[in-house]
Amino acid sequence: SNLDGAPCTQGDLWVELGATEPREGYLRFLTNYSEQQRAVGRFYRAPHAALPDIREWLDQHNVVPGIAKLQALIAYSFLGICFFNAAALLLIMLLRRRKELGLRRALGATRKRLITDLVMEHSGLAIASAVGGCLAAWACIRLLRTRPEAYYAVIHADPWMVFVGVSTAIVSIMLATLLPAWHVIRANPYSMLRS
C-alpha cells in the first residue's frame, strides 16, 4: 500500500545530535513541524513529538527484560555477600595469628610493614580468585547461551569485561585483607602476645 498520501503516519527515527545542537531545540523543531503539518490538514491530532535518549528508548521498548535486571541484581548481591564473607574469614585467620603479629610488632616491625606483608601474602589468593572467577564466568556464559530465549544468544565476554572482573577480584581481596589487618594490627602488641 502507498502511504505517501496517508493523513497520518508514525515512525521512529534515530537522530545523533552534536554537542552544538541542543536537545530542546531539536524537539522544538519536531513540534513545530507537526504543528505545520496539522495546519495544512495532514495531521488531525495535536503534535506528540518525543525525543527520548537511548536509555529511555530501551526502557519504553522493553529491550532489556525484567528477568535480566533481576539476574544482575542477584549477581551484585552475591558479590557483596562474598566480599563480606571473605573479610570475615580473613579476620578470623588474622585473629588466630595475633601472637605472631604481636611478636613481630614487639620486635620492631611497623604497622605499615605488617600490612604490606599481609597484602603480599594474600596477593596469591587474589590472583587465584581472579582466575577462578574468570573460569566460572566463562562456564556460566556457556550455560546461559544454551537457553532458548533470544537475548541469551548475544551474551559474551569481551576483554573489558574480563579486565573489570579480574580487577574487582583483586581489589576485593586487597580490601578484605586491609580492613581486618588494620583492626588486628592497631591493638597493643603486648596484649596481642598475651591473647
Side-chain angles (χ1 to χ4, degrees), residues 7-186:
C8 183
T9 58
Q10 177 180 348
D12 289 339
L13 300 173
W14 287 90
V15 178
E16 182 178 359
L17 299 175
T20 59
E21 301 171 275
R23 179 177 173 177
E24 294 78 19
Y26 191 75
L27 184 59
R28 204 168 29 252
F29 164 75
L30 292 176
T31 305
N32 291 339
Y33 174 78
S34 297
E35 281 286 1
Q36 289 172 356
Q37 295 299 312
R38 189 167 75 118
V40 297
R42 184 164 178 228
F43 297 156
Y44 299 115
R45 296 181 182 171
H48 179 65
L51 195 60
D53 61 18
I54 293 176
R55 289 188 184 275
E56 293 168 348
W57 188 88
L58 291 173
D59 286 340
Q60 288 171 2
H61 292 81
N62 198 25
V63 174
V64 180
I67 189 71
K69 294 177 183 176
L70 179 63
Q71 289 169 346
L73 178 64
I74 291 171
Y76 287 123
S77 302
F78 187 66
L79 178 64
I81 291 168
C82 290
F83 175 75
F84 286 114
N85 282 340
L89 290 172
L90 289 170
L91 178 61
I92 291 168
M93 184 186 75
L94 291 174
L95 287 174
R96 289 185 178 176
R97 295 177 60 188
R98 280 176 69 92
K99 286 186 179 180
E100 173 201 337
L101 297 173
L103 180 61
R104 289 178 64 185
R105 285 275 292 132
L107 291 174
T110 63
R111 290 178 178 171
K112 182 179 177 182
R113 179 65 189 176
L114 286 180
I115 289 180
T116 303
D117 290 346
L118 290 171
V119 167
M120 293 304 292
E121 286 176 18
H122 294 126
S123 61
L125 178 62
I127 292 170
S129 298
V131 171
C134 286
L135 292 174
W138 177 78
C140 289
I141 288 172
R142 297 280 297 185
L143 184 65
L144 285 174
R145 288 177 65 103
T146 63
R147 305 256 322 162
E149 291 87 352
Y151 58 87
Y152 284 119
V154 298
I155 295 176
H156 67 284
D158 57 5
W160 175 250
M161 183 174 147
V162 173
F163 171 76
V164 169
V166 170
S167 302
T168 302
I170 292 172
V171 169
S172 297
I173 291 292
M174 292 302 121
L175 286 176
T177 300
L178 288 173
L179 296 176
W182 181 252
H183 173 74
V184 171
I185 288 171
R186 71 180 180 172

